[in-house]
Amino acid sequence: MTMKNRIALVTGGTRGIGRAIAIDLKKAGCKVVASYHGNEEAAQAFRKETGIEVMRFDVADFDQCSLAVKRIEAEIGPVDILINNAGITRDGFLHKMGAESWHAVIETNLTSLFNMCRVVIEGMRARGFGRIINISSVNGQLGQVGQANYSAAKAGVIGFTKAMARES
């Protein structure tokens, strides 16, 4: 598969693993958009350093995801490659974990997959081309002390990905 001129969207793409993925996709010839949510300064430094477009939106919010993809399609073109990498941690022992920490991690790390895949899948199917990569963690298989929320979300990523693959 040639990557030349393919449009890739990397969620959580301005730092850490997402940063490395975005840079490698650009090197492979893709037009890349890296999303971020919180760290404006880091995102703008990334854009300046790499020349990769950045876009701020909350992957946990379906409407923001939909608007972001529509904007990318209007300004750059249809998303060919989606890397669902955005993720957060809110670690704490379950007996001390608040509902807010639980929901924030589940929404950002798992619900975001539905949000992002749902807004790109129809276009990918209509064009007969698309690649979606969902980033999980070993903690989704093994669990981790103080990460009931994170481990549950990452286990959900694995199940979601397997189910979605059977639909293609």
Side-chain angles (χ1 to χ4, degrees):
M1 171 185 82
T2 180
M3 301 292 266
K4 188 103 174 126
N5 296 321
R6 293 283 185 195
I7 298 166
L9 172 56
V10 182
T11 68
T14 63
R15 297 186 293 150
I17 293 169
R19 173 190 175 91
I21 293 169
I23 289 169
D24 281 352
L25 285 168
K26 182 180 179 187
K27 287 178 185 174
C30 290
K31 297 176 184 175
V32 181
V33 177
S35 84
Y36 68 101
H37 183 244
N39 195 328
E40 179 74 29
E41 187 177 319
Q44 293 309 321
F46 170 80
R47 182 190 57 73
K48 186 176 180 181
E49 176 188 336
T50 65
I52 293 173
E53 292 296 322
V54 298
M55 185 177 290
R56 184 177 193 160
F57 63 94
D58 183 357
V59 294
D61 183 303
F62 182 84
D63 291 335
Q64 287 187 37
C65 294
S66 181
L67 290 171
V69 169
K70 286 177 183 172
R71 182 173 156 207
I72 292 166
E73 290 173 345
E75 294 176 9
I76 302 170
V79 175
D80 298 306
I81 301 165
L82 171 63
I83 311 294
N84 281 311
N85 172 71
I88 62 170
T89 58
R90 298 290 185 272
D91 296 352
F93 290 108
L94 182 62
H95 70 277
K96 294 182 179 181
M97 184 179 293
E100 183 179 308
S101 293
W102 173 268
H103 289 291
V105 171
I106 296 296
E107 295 296 314
T108 300
N109 297 12
L110 179 58
T111 302
S112 64
L113 272 67
F114 169 81
N115 294 343
M116 292 306 305
C117 291
R118 185 62 187 88
V119 298
V120 301
I121 196 75
E122 286 184 46
M124 288 178 172
R125 290 173 61 91
R127 291 186 304 278
F129 182 89
R131 302 292 185 265
I132 298 173
I133 298 171
N134 299 322
I135 307 296
S136 186
S137 167
V138 67
N139 292 346
Q141 295 176 317
L142 302 178
Q144 183 59 268
V145 173
Q147 289 192 329
N149 51 4
Y150 183 83
S151 296
K154 292 303 185 174
V157 169
I158 295 166
F160 179 94
T161 302
K162 288 180 178 185
M164 191 176 68
R166 290 182 171 269
E167 293 181 12
S168 59

mmCIF file of all heavy atoms in Angstrom, residues 1-10 20-33 76 78-83 124 129-133:
data_model
loop_
_atom_site.group_PDB
_atom_site.id
_atom_site.type_symbol
_atom_site.label_atom_id
_atom_site.label_comp_id
_atom_site.label_asym_id
_atom_site.label_seq_id
_atom_site.Cartn_x
_atom_site.Cartn_y
_atom_site.Cartn_z
ATOM 1 N N MET A 1 0.846 -1.179 0.000
ATOM 2 C CA MET A 1 0.000 0.000 0.000
ATOM 3 C C MET A 1 0.888 1.237 0.000
ATOM 4 O O MET A 1 1.777 1.368 0.816
ATOM 5 C CB MET A 1 -0.876 -0.009 1.253
ATOM 6 C CG MET A 1 -1.632 1.276 1.444
ATOM 7 S SD MET A 1 -2.573 1.368 2.976
ATOM 8 C CE MET A 1 -1.315 1.837 4.121
ATOM 9 N N THR A 2 0.621 2.105 -0.908
ATOM 10 C CA THR A 2 1.341 3.372 -0.902
ATOM 11 C C THR A 2 0.694 4.332 0.084
ATOM 12 O O THR A 2 -0.525 4.392 0.198
ATOM 13 C CB THR A 2 1.396 3.999 -2.311
ATOM 14 O OG1 THR A 2 2.104 5.224 -2.216
ATOM 15 C CG2 THR A 2 0.023 4.247 -2.882
ATOM 16 N N MET A 3 1.539 5.030 0.803
ATOM 17 C CA MET A 3 1.041 5.988 1.792
ATOM 18 C C MET A 3 1.011 7.396 1.213
ATOM 19 O O MET A 3 0.480 8.298 1.828
ATOM 20 C CB MET A 3 1.929 5.967 3.038
ATOM 21 C CG MET A 3 2.004 4.613 3.703
ATOM 22 S SD MET A 3 0.454 4.138 4.421
ATOM 23 C CE MET A 3 0.717 4.717 6.064
ATOM 24 N N LYS A 4 1.601 7.563 0.043
ATOM 25 C CA LYS A 4 1.721 8.888 -0.565
ATOM 26 C C LYS A 4 0.348 9.536 -0.685
ATOM 27 O O LYS A 4 -0.576 8.974 -1.255
ATOM 28 C CB LYS A 4 2.373 8.767 -1.933
ATOM 29 C CG LYS A 4 2.704 10.075 -2.564
ATOM 30 C CD LYS A 4 4.170 10.345 -2.430
ATOM 31 C CE LYS A 4 4.510 11.600 -3.196
ATOM 32 N NZ LYS A 4 5.191 12.538 -2.374
ATOM 33 N N ASN A 5 0.234 10.698 -0.098
ATOM 34 C CA ASN A 5 -0.962 11.526 -0.155
ATOM 35 C C ASN A 5 -2.184 10.953 0.566
ATOM 36 O O ASN A 5 -3.278 11.485 0.419
ATOM 37 C CB ASN A 5 -1.315 11.881 -1.605
ATOM 38 C CG ASN A 5 -0.231 12.720 -2.241
ATOM 39 O OD1 ASN A 5 0.339 13.594 -1.597
ATOM 40 N ND2 ASN A 5 0.086 12.426 -3.483
ATOM 41 N N ARG A 6 -2.016 9.878 1.304
ATOM 42 C CA ARG A 6 -3.111 9.397 2.147
ATOM 43 C C ARG A 6 -3.274 10.390 3.298
ATOM 44 O O ARG A 6 -2.300 10.971 3.771
ATOM 45 C CB ARG A 6 -2.818 8.014 2.721
ATOM 46 C CG ARG A 6 -2.762 6.925 1.686
ATOM 47 C CD ARG A 6 -4.153 6.547 1.258
ATOM 48 N NE ARG A 6 -4.101 5.417 0.334
ATOM 49 C CZ ARG A 6 -5.110 5.059 -0.411
ATOM 50 N NH1 ARG A 6 -6.245 5.724 -0.361
ATOM 51 N NH2 ARG A 6 -5.015 4.035 -1.204
ATOM 52 N N ILE A 7 -4.490 10.569 3.750
ATOM 53 C CA ILE A 7 -4.747 11.490 4.853
ATOM 54 C C ILE A 7 -4.929 10.677 6.123
ATOM 55 O O ILE A 7 -5.783 9.783 6.189
ATOM 56 C CB ILE A 7 -5.969 12.368 4.563
ATOM 57 C CG1 ILE A 7 -5.673 13.210 3.319
ATOM 58 C CG2 ILE A 7 -6.311 13.242 5.764
ATOM 59 C CD1 ILE A 7 -6.864 13.860 2.720
ATOM 60 N N ALA A 8 -4.089 10.987 7.109
ATOM 61 C CA ALA A 8 -4.108 10.263 8.374
ATOM 62 C C ALA A 8 -4.473 11.205 9.511
ATOM 63 O O ALA A 8 -3.975 12.326 9.585
ATOM 64 C CB ALA A 8 -2.745 9.631 8.634
ATOM 65 N N LEU A 9 -5.309 10.718 10.402
ATOM 66 C CA LEU A 9 -5.678 11.441 11.613
ATOM 67 C C LEU A 9 -5.198 10.620 12.802
ATOM 68 O O LEU A 9 -5.566 9.447 12.936
ATOM 69 C CB LEU A 9 -7.192 11.639 11.673
ATOM 70 C CG LEU A 9 -7.771 12.203 12.971
ATOM 71 C CD1 LEU A 9 -7.139 13.540 13.349
ATOM 72 C CD2 LEU A 9 -9.292 12.328 12.856
ATOM 73 N N VAL A 10 -4.369 11.228 13.623
ATOM 74 C CA VAL A 10 -3.844 10.569 14.813
ATOM 75 C C VAL A 10 -4.403 11.294 16.030
ATOM 76 O O VAL A 10 -4.063 12.462 16.272
ATOM 77 C CB VAL A 10 -2.299 10.600 14.846
ATOM 78 C CG1 VAL A 10 -1.779 9.869 16.085
ATOM 79 C CG2 VAL A 10 -1.710 10.012 13.569
ATOM 80 N N ALA A 20 5.135 10.076 17.838
ATOM 81 C CA ALA A 20 6.004 9.212 17.030
ATOM 82 C C ALA A 20 5.251 8.647 15.829
ATOM 83 O O ALA A 20 5.787 8.592 14.707
ATOM 84 C CB ALA A 20 6.572 8.088 17.892
ATOM 85 N N ILE A 21 4.010 8.247 16.030
ATOM 86 C CA ILE A 21 3.199 7.716 14.930
ATOM 87 C C ILE A 21 2.964 8.793 13.877
ATOM 88 O O ILE A 21 3.105 8.543 12.668
ATOM 89 C CB ILE A 21 1.864 7.164 15.467
ATOM 90 C CG1 ILE A 21 2.107 5.917 16.330
ATOM 91 C CG2 ILE A 21 0.897 6.855 14.322
ATOM 92 C CD1 ILE A 21 0.888 5.467 17.122
ATOM 93 N N ALA A 22 2.578 9.992 14.312
ATOM 94 C CA ALA A 22 2.308 11.088 13.373
ATOM 95 C C ALA A 22 3.542 11.409 12.540
ATOM 96 O O ALA A 22 3.459 11.590 11.321
ATOM 97 C CB ALA A 22 1.826 12.321 14.131
ATOM 98 N N ILE A 23 4.685 11.479 13.178
ATOM 99 C CA ILE A 23 5.934 11.787 12.465
ATOM 100 C C ILE A 23 6.252 10.685 11.459
ATOM 101 O O ILE A 23 6.616 10.968 10.310
ATOM 102 C CB ILE A 23 7.081 12.011 13.469
ATOM 103 C CG1 ILE A 23 6.863 13.330 14.217
ATOM 104 C CG2 ILE A 23 8.435 12.001 12.764
ATOM 105 C CD1 ILE A 23 7.779 13.534 15.418
ATOM 106 N N ASP A 24 6.106 9.428 11.853
ATOM 107 C CA ASP A 24 6.390 8.322 10.934
ATOM 108 C C ASP A 24 5.423 8.304 9.755
ATOM 109 O O ASP A 24 5.821 8.009 8.623
ATOM 110 C CB ASP A 24 6.370 6.986 11.661
ATOM 111 C CG ASP A 24 7.646 6.720 12.448
ATOM 112 O OD1 ASP A 24 8.621 7.499 12.312
ATOM 113 O OD2 ASP A 24 7.680 5.730 13.204
ATOM 114 N N LEU A 25 4.153 8.604 9.999
ATOM 115 C CA LEU A 25 3.189 8.660 8.901
ATOM 116 C C LEU A 25 3.549 9.770 7.919
ATOM 117 O O LEU A 25 3.427 9.597 6.699
ATOM 118 C CB LEU A 25 1.769 8.841 9.433
ATOM 119 C CG LEU A 25 1.143 7.600 10.064
ATOM 120 C CD1 LEU A 25 -0.142 7.971 10.809
ATOM 121 C CD2 LEU A 25 0.862 6.534 9.004
ATOM 122 N N LYS A 26 3.985 10.901 8.446
ATOM 123 C CA LYS A 26 4.406 11.990 7.565
ATOM 124 C C LYS A 26 5.612 11.566 6.734
ATOM 125 O O LYS A 26 5.659 11.802 5.523
ATOM 126 C CB LYS A 26 4.732 13.259 8.361
ATOM 127 C CG LYS A 26 5.131 14.414 7.455
ATOM 128 C CD LYS A 26 5.447 15.664 8.221
ATOM 129 C CE LYS A 26 5.860 16.751 7.206
ATOM 130 N NZ LYS A 26 6.337 17.944 7.875
ATOM 131 N N LYS A 27 6.574 10.917 7.372
ATOM 132 C CA LYS A 27 7.761 10.431 6.651
ATOM 133 C C LYS A 27 7.387 9.436 5.556
ATOM 134 O O LYS A 27 8.054 9.357 4.532
ATOM 135 C CB LYS A 27 8.748 9.779 7.622
ATOM 136 C CG LYS A 27 9.489 10.761 8.497
ATOM 137 C CD LYS A 27 10.421 10.032 9.459
ATOM 138 C CE LYS A 27 11.091 10.994 10.419
ATOM 139 N NZ LYS A 27 11.885 10.282 11.446
ATOM 140 N N ALA A 28 6.302 8.688 5.787
ATOM 141 C CA ALA A 28 5.843 7.707 4.809
ATOM 142 C C ALA A 28 5.060 8.347 3.666
ATOM 143 O O ALA A 28 4.659 7.655 2.728
ATOM 144 C CB ALA A 28 4.989 6.644 5.498
ATOM 145 N N GLY A 29 4.821 9.660 3.744
ATOM 146 C CA GLY A 29 4.155 10.363 2.658
ATOM 147 C C GLY A 29 2.724 10.764 2.921
ATOM 148 O O GLY A 29 2.060 11.302 2.038
ATOM 149 N N CYS A 30 2.222 10.512 4.109
ATOM 150 C CA CYS A 30 0.844 10.889 4.439
ATOM 151 C C CYS A 30 0.746 12.376 4.748
ATOM 152 O O CYS A 30 1.695 12.990 5.218
ATOM 153 C CB CYS A 30 0.364 10.127 5.672
ATOM 154 S SG CYS A 30 0.110 8.370 5.413
ATOM 155 N N LYS A 31 -0.439 12.899 4.503
ATOM 156 C CA LYS A 31 -0.812 14.211 5.031
ATOM 157 C C LYS A 31 -1.432 13.909 6.398
ATOM 158 O O LYS A 31 -2.422 13.186 6.473
ATOM 159 C CB LYS A 31 -1.820 14.894 4.120
ATOM 160 C CG LYS A 31 -1.283 15.190 2.741
ATOM 161 C CD LYS A 31 -2.374 15.777 1.863
ATOM 162 C CE LYS A 31 -1.866 15.971 0.452
ATOM 163 N NZ LYS A 31 -2.945 16.423 -0.451
ATOM 164 N N VAL A 32 -0.837 14.445 7.446
ATOM 165 C CA VAL A 32 -1.220 14.057 8.797
ATOM 166 C C VAL A 32 -1.859 15.219 9.553
ATOM 167 O O VAL A 32 -1.403 16.354 9.467
ATOM 168 C CB VAL A 32 0.015 13.548 9.592
ATOM 169 C CG1 VAL A 32 -0.375 13.128 10.997
ATOM 170 C CG2 VAL A 32 0.699 12.398 8.845
ATOM 171 N N VAL A 33 -2.902 14.890 10.302
ATOM 172 C CA VAL A 33 -3.495 15.800 11.271
ATOM 173 C C VAL A 33 -3.369 15.108 12.621
ATOM 174 O O VAL A 33 -3.747 13.945 12.767
ATOM 175 C CB VAL A 33 -4.976 16.103 10.972
ATOM 176 C CG1 VAL A 33 -5.570 16.998 12.055
ATOM 177 C CG2 VAL A 33 -5.128 16.731 9.589
ATOM 178 N N ILE A 76 -8.717 19.363 3.789
ATOM 179 C CA ILE A 76 -7.603 18.524 3.330
ATOM 180 C C ILE A 76 -8.087 17.389 2.432
ATOM 181 O O ILE A 76 -7.518 17.121 1.398
ATOM 182 C CB ILE A 76 -6.818 17.948 4.538
ATOM 183 C CG1 ILE A 76 -6.301 19.095 5.414
ATOM 184 C CG2 ILE A 76 -5.648 17.080 4.063
ATOM 185 C CD1 ILE A 76 -5.730 18.643 6.740
ATOM 186 N N PRO A 78 -10.682 13.421 2.512
ATOM 187 C CA PRO A 78 -11.239 12.368 3.365
ATOM 188 C C PRO A 78 -10.156 11.638 4.161
ATOM 189 O O PRO A 78 -9.044 11.422 3.675
ATOM 190 C CB PRO A 78 -11.915 11.420 2.366
ATOM 191 C CG PRO A 78 -11.248 11.693 1.064
ATOM 192 C CD PRO A 78 -10.820 13.129 1.090
ATOM 193 N N VAL A 79 -10.524 11.252 5.371
ATOM 194 C CA VAL A 79 -9.595 10.526 6.247
ATOM 195 C C VAL A 79 -9.471 9.089 5.743
ATOM 196 O O VAL A 79 -10.457 8.355 5.695
ATOM 197 C CB VAL A 79 -10.071 10.560 7.711
ATOM 198 C CG1 VAL A 79 -9.180 9.696 8.596
ATOM 199 C CG2 VAL A 79 -10.117 11.992 8.224
ATOM 200 N N ASP A 80 -8.251 8.712 5.365
ATOM 201 C CA ASP A 80 -7.955 7.356 4.902
ATOM 202 C C ASP A 80 -7.468 6.460 6.035
ATOM 203 O O ASP A 80 -7.666 5.248 6.007
ATOM 204 C CB ASP A 80 -6.844 7.384 3.846
ATOM 205 C CG ASP A 80 -7.218 8.158 2.616
ATOM 206 O OD1 ASP A 80 -8.270 7.845 2.024
ATOM 207 O OD2 ASP A 80 -6.468 9.084 2.230
ATOM 208 N N ILE A 81 -6.775 7.070 6.998
ATOM 209 C CA ILE A 81 -6.152 6.322 8.084
ATOM 210 C C ILE A 81 -6.510 7.017 9.392
ATOM 211 O O ILE A 81 -6.305 8.212 9.535
ATOM 212 C CB ILE A 81 -4.617 6.292 7.917
ATOM 213 C CG1 ILE A 81 -4.241 5.656 6.584
ATOM 214 C CG2 ILE A 81 -3.956 5.566 9.092
ATOM 215 C CD1 ILE A 81 -2.801 5.912 6.162
ATOM 216 N N LEU A 82 -7.036 6.233 10.322
ATOM 217 C CA LEU A 82 -7.366 6.740 11.650
ATOM 218 C C LEU A 82 -6.569 5.958 12.675
ATOM 219 O O LEU A 82 -6.649 4.727 12.709
ATOM 220 C CB LEU A 82 -8.866 6.585 11.928
ATOM 221 C CG LEU A 82 -9.319 6.870 13.360
ATOM 222 C CD1 LEU A 82 -9.060 8.321 13.749
ATOM 223 C CD2 LEU A 82 -10.796 6.508 13.523
ATOM 224 N N ILE A 83 -5.806 6.670 13.461
ATOM 225 C CA ILE A 83 -5.084 6.058 14.576
ATOM 226 C C ILE A 83 -5.738 6.550 15.861
ATOM 227 O O ILE A 83 -5.615 7.726 16.214
ATOM 228 C CB ILE A 83 -3.582 6.435 14.578
ATOM 229 C CG1 ILE A 83 -2.933 6.241 13.211
ATOM 230 C CG2 ILE A 83 -2.857 5.667 15.689
ATOM 231 C CD1 ILE A 83 -2.840 4.828 12.725
ATOM 232 N N MET A 124 -15.001 5.596 4.521
ATOM 233 C CA MET A 124 -14.021 4.565 4.170
ATOM 234 C C MET A 124 -14.688 3.434 3.386
ATOM 235 O O MET A 124 -14.161 2.974 2.375
ATOM 236 C CB MET A 124 -13.342 4.017 5.425
ATOM 237 C CG MET A 124 -12.376 4.978 6.069
ATOM 238 S SD MET A 124 -11.681 4.239 7.581
ATOM 239 C CE MET A 124 -10.432 5.470 7.983
ATOM 240 N N PHE A 129 -11.674 2.004 0.804
ATOM 241 C CA PHE A 129 -10.343 2.029 1.414
ATOM 242 C C PHE A 129 -10.413 2.705 2.770
ATOM 243 O O PHE A 129 -11.060 3.736 2.927
ATOM 244 C CB PHE A 129 -9.329 2.791 0.549
ATOM 245 C CG PHE A 129 -7.953 2.776 1.162
ATOM 246 C CD1 PHE A 129 -7.074 1.750 0.870
ATOM 247 C CD2 PHE A 129 -7.566 3.749 2.067
ATOM 248 C CE1 PHE A 129 -5.816 1.703 1.470
ATOM 249 C CE2 PHE A 129 -6.311 3.720 2.672
ATOM 250 C CZ PHE A 129 -5.431 2.689 2.369
ATOM 251 N N GLY A 130 -9.698 2.136 3.703
ATOM 252 C CA GLY A 130 -9.569 2.751 5.016
ATOM 253 C C GLY A 130 -8.759 1.859 5.928
ATOM 254 O O GLY A 130 -8.766 0.641 5.793
ATOM 255 N N ARG A 131 -8.057 2.482 6.833
ATOM 256 C CA ARG A 131 -7.270 1.767 7.833
ATOM 257 C C ARG A 131 -7.552 2.410 9.182
ATOM 258 O O ARG A 131 -7.458 3.631 9.320
ATOM 259 C CB ARG A 131 -5.767 1.840 7.538
ATOM 260 C CG ARG A 131 -5.355 1.288 6.186
ATOM 261 C CD ARG A 131 -5.547 -0.231 6.144
ATOM 262 N NE ARG A 131 -5.060 -0.805 4.899
ATOM 263 C CZ ARG A 131 -5.811 -1.051 3.832
ATOM 264 N NH1 ARG A 131 -7.096 -0.730 3.841
ATOM 265 N NH2 ARG A 131 -5.288 -1.606 2.759
ATOM 266 N N ILE A 132 -7.902 1.579 10.157
ATOM 267 C CA ILE A 132 -8.127 2.050 11.514
ATOM 268 C C ILE A 132 -7.257 1.228 12.443
ATOM 269 O O ILE A 132 -7.300 -0.008 12.418
ATOM 270 C CB ILE A 132 -9.608 1.935 11.924
ATOM 271 C CG1 ILE A 132 -10.485 2.799 11.016
ATOM 272 C CG2 ILE A 132 -9.788 2.322 13.396
ATOM 273 C CD1 ILE A 132 -11.981 2.628 11.238
ATOM 274 N N ILE A 133 -6.472 1.918 13.248
ATOM 275 C CA ILE A 133 -5.622 1.267 14.241
ATOM 276 C C ILE A 133 -6.003 1.815 15.608
ATOM 277 O O ILE A 133 -6.008 3.027 15.822
ATOM 278 C CB ILE A 133 -4.126 1.522 13.954
ATOM 279 C CG1 ILE A 133 -3.759 0.921 12.590
ATOM 280 C CG2 ILE A 133 -3.255 0.956 15.074
ATOM 281 C CD1 ILE A 133 -2.392 1.288 12.098
#
